[in-house]
Amino acid sequence: MAQLIDEGEISKKDRIKITSSLLVSALVFLVIQYDAINFDSNILRLTIDWSNLLVNALGWQIFAATLVVVAAANIIYSRFSGFFKHNKKKVFLFISIATNLAILGFFKYFNFFADSFVVMSESLFGYTPGAFTLDIILPVGISFYTFQTMSYTIDVYRGEIKASKKLTEFAAYVSFFPQLVAGPIERGKLLLPQFQQARPTPEWSDVREGVWLIFWGLFKKLVIADNLAKIVNPTFEYYASGGSAGAIPPTDSLSLIIVLYAFALQIYCDFSGYTDIARGTAKLFGFNLMINFRLPYFATDPSSFWRRWHISLSTWLRDYLYIPLGGNRGGSLLTYRNLMLTMILGGLWHGAAWTFVIWGFYQGALLSIYRALGIDAEMGGNYPQWKKILMIIFFFQLTCIGWLIFRAETPETIVSYLGGILFNPLTTPETWELLKTLLFYSWFLIVFQVLQYKANNLNPMQNWHWFIRLNIWVYIIMSLLVLAAAGGQEFIYFAF
């Protein structure tokens, strides 16, 4: 599709290649039953149960549907492409975006909207429709690689990059394994050229940085995030249970605040830890992936936060949604509208739940309020250092309220949790145990990131004495060996 957008047409030879690859893929991955193939390694003999090799009825149905679709697409292209002579690129871009969004919408949002329709029908009309849901399994990382392919086709349309004519290059760009399931969402103009040219052997500095990123990411994930999950998950599970609404919470308000801080660190270490591992692994193969986090909890305002948190998503939303909507070019009211729409859609990108819609609305409201007040300490505000520190502390509290909305399973959970904070101002012995747990696992991260912030450098160790670096390495490795959480937890953003 990108080639169609780039050149306005596609040759017969390339159409045959695409058709063949789609049909062969459907046959190989959906029709063939590989459990009918057996290889005995002891006697090096391959046996095939021919009677069961090609008996997958559903696979044949999908193969037939694929055959019909590609045949129809070729006929339509041959017969009607002349009708779009002057707007071919726009038509093909629309088809590409619509197809990507349709696939994403079906897998990620069908059950959500079906359930919402049933609830609305019951509440408004007292009528319960039949079951709509299909119990669809969400493909891992679909939000990430869908946005990645969309950015590629849009950049081709804008003339910022030439379409790749090699399927292997494009497939490698979309499915590059370090960042496939949880980002960063790479742009074609940054990552694709790295597949198109010969890469030199990684230098020692790249290997050293790559290994450090991998271990630092593992430390953040296994030592901090997974251990903090042990105090975060039980608390939120309590408030998500049906009988918790209106009941006395199991912990006092200070404990609930500590748990909220713990989740803020958990989600940061979980997500940025994956990104560090991905970037480090890519460096060992000679690839450079974009930085996705820049000390987000040192943000003084929401604009600063989104320049520091999940940078690949925030810049994607800015370049492909906020600016095309009009950005800040249409006056204050339209700017606020564009901010709200962008962040609400950004919330929906994370998942099919009303809590993500509320979270997006909350983030859009923060951006709009801070913009209306003219607060942006990093991009023009002349504030003394002590005031910046106070702004960082205050905005971190607002960020944690956002994480409460993000983590809650239902809107009722949000209300119940906030009620526990506001109306149960007591302390218990468990409060200090929670605080000690939080500080025990996160103290090194906090100290290290303060040093990163003061040095304005994400890798300040390169300027430190070798003995200090050695001690840090010993601490990281020993922590992984001794303190890594048993059992482990799935990466949070694997669900998106």
Side-chain angles (χ1 to χ4, degrees):
M1 186 60 72
Q3 188 176 341
L4 287 169
I5 296 170
D6 189 18
E7 301 177 358
E9 60 182 4
I10 186 169
S11 67
K12 183 177 180 180
K13 180 180 178 180
D14 288 334
R15 293 205 307 273
I16 293 174
K17 286 182 180 179
I18 295 171
T19 300
S20 301
S21 64
L22 289 172
L23 292 176
V24 170
S25 297
L27 181 66
V28 171
F29 296 111
L30 298 174
V31 175
I32 296 177
Q33 299 294 289
Y34 288 95
D35 55 1
I37 303 175
N38 180 55
F39 179 73
D40 192 334
S41 58
N42 294 323
I43 58 176
L44 300 178
R45 186 175 67 179
L46 178 69
T47 58
I48 301 176
D49 183 359
W50 295 101
S51 61
N52 293 315
L53 184 64
L54 302 172
V55 295
N56 186 353
L58 178 60
W60 280 113
Q61 291 171 8
I62 298 175
F63 178 81
T66 304
L67 180 61
V68 171
V69 169
V70 296
N74 278 282
I75 293 171
I76 291 172
Y77 177 83
S78 301
R79 296 286 182 88
F80 299 104
S81 61
F83 292 168
F84 309 112
K85 184 176 180 180
H86 301 293
N87 294 297
K88 280 185 178 181
K89 293 186 177 183
K90 287 186 178 179
V91 171
F92 293 137
L93 177 66
F94 173 81
I95 294 173
S96 175
I97 293 175
T99 302
N100 277 291
L101 292 179
I103 295 172
L104 178 64
F106 176 75
F107 281 102
K108 196 162 188 175
Y109 305 109
F110 179 84
N111 288 345
F112 168 66
F113 286 112
D115 290 338
S116 300
F117 175 76
V118 170
V119 172
M120 182 183 69
S121 178
E122 290 176 343
S123 61
L124 294 179
F125 309 109
Y127 170 72
T128 303
F132 283 93
T133 56
L134 301 176
D135 293 327
I136 299 168
I137 298 175
L138 181 67
V140 174
I142 187 172
S143 296
F144 288 91
Y145 53 74
T146 298
F147 270 34
Q148 186 158 308
T149 54
M150 286 174 63
S151 69
Y152 168 71
T153 54
I154 295 172
D155 286 347
V156 169
Y157 173 77
R158 292 175 174 177
E160 297 178 7
I161 186 176
K162 296 292 291 182
S164 174
K165 294 185 178 182
K166 295 183 178 180
L167 179 61
T168 52
E169 287 179 353
F170 177 73
Y173 158 69
V174 174
S175 60
F176 187 45
F177 76 94
Q179 47 84 233
L180 175 63
V181 294
I185 305 170
E186 289 291 337
R187 304 290 179 88
K189 57 188 174 184
L190 298 178
L191 182 57
L192 192 57
Q194 298 183 58
F195 290 102
Q196 294 172 329
Q197 59 193 20
R199 295 180 307 282
T201 303
E203 298 181 0
W204 168 242
S205 59
D206 293 324
V207 174
R208 183 176 57 194
E209 184 179 358
V211 173
W212 163 252
L213 285 170
I214 292 172
F215 275 84
W216 181 233
L218 288 171
F219 173 80
K220 287 197 285 186
K221 167 60 178 170
L222 299 178
V223 176
I224 302 177
D226 286 358
N227 279 301
L228 294 183
K230 295 177 182 179
I231 64 175
V232 171
N233 292 344
T235 305
F236 276 93
E237 286 169 2
Y238 172 86
Y239 281 94
S241 62
S244 66
I248 298 175
T251 51
D252 57 279
S253 59
L254 183 56
S255 294
L256 293 178
I257 293 173
I258 292 172
V259 169
L260 205 50
Y261 290 166
F263 178 66
L265 289 176
Q266 179 201 356
I267 192 171
Y268 168 66
C269 291
D270 190 283
F271 193 13
S272 68
Y274 176 91
T275 300
D276 290 339
I277 296 169
R279 292 184 59 233
T281 305
K283 274 191 174 294
L284 297 182
F285 286 92
F287 291 89
N288 287 307
L289 301 181
M290 68 179 295
I291 295 173
N292 212 21
F293 294 89
R294 291 184 183 274
L295 309 178
Y297 293 147
F298 288 86
T300 55
D301 54 79
S303 295
S304 169
F305 178 79
W306 287 107
R307 287 192 291 267
R308 295 167 174 269
W309 176 275
H310 202 347
I311 300 169
S312 62
L313 175 64
S314 61
T315 53
W316 197 103
L317 293 172
R318 179 197 66 196
D319 295 342
Y320 303 115
L321 188 57
Y322 176 69
I323 292 177
L325 282 172
N328 57 2
R329 299 189 298 272
S332 297
L333 290 178
L334 288 178
T335 298
Y336 301 147
R337 181 207 68 177
N338 296 337
L339 287 171
M340 295 299 295
L341 286 175
T342 299
M343 297 314 298
I344 289 173
L345 291 173
L348 271 175
W349 176 88
H350 285 84
W354 286 111
T355 50
F356 290 123
V357 177
I358 298 170
W359 179 78
F361 182 88
Y362 175 77
Q363 296 296 334
L366 286 182
L367 285 165
S368 299
I369 292 170
Y370 268 78
R371 185 179 182 86
L373 296 175
I375 301 175
D376 192 341
E378 291 185 3
M379 298 299 289
N382 187 17
Y383 301 95
Q385 188 64 29
W386 66 269
K387 187 172 286 188
K388 284 187 178 180
I389 294 174
L390 291 178
M391 293 171 70
I392 289 171
I393 295 172
F394 177 73
F395 185 72
F396 179 70
Q397 314 312 310
L398 297 180
T399 301
C400 287
I401 294 174
W403 288 137
L404 167 59
I405 300 170
F406 187 95
R407 179 60 176 79
E409 294 184 15
T410 63
E412 291 78 15
T413 303
I414 302 170
V415 175
S416 182
Y417 198 102
L418 287 174
I421 293 176
L422 297 174
F423 303 118
N424 191 32
L426 302 173
T427 58
T428 63
E430 288 76 14
T431 302
W432 309 113
E433 291 300 320
L434 289 172
L435 181 60
K436 286 192 291 184
T437 300
L438 174 63
L439 294 177
F440 177 77
Y441 289 112
S442 63
W443 73 268
F444 183 80
L445 173 79
I446 295 171
V447 171
F448 191 76
Q449 297 223 313
V450 168
L451 295 175
Q452 288 177 305
Y453 179 75
K454 289 179 67 67
N456 194 26
N457 185 353
L458 293 179
N459 187 19
M461 286 209 316
Q462 60 188 349
N463 301 320
W464 295 349
H465 192 274
W466 68 267
F467 188 71
I468 297 176
R469 297 199 303 269
L470 175 63
N471 278 273
I472 291 175
W473 269 105
V474 171
Y475 175 76
I476 294 294
I477 294 173
M478 291 304 299
S479 296
L480 285 169
L481 293 174
V482 178
L483 300 178
Q489 301 279 334
E490 185 181 76
F491 282 98
I492 293 173
Y493 266 70
F494 276 15
F496 306 138

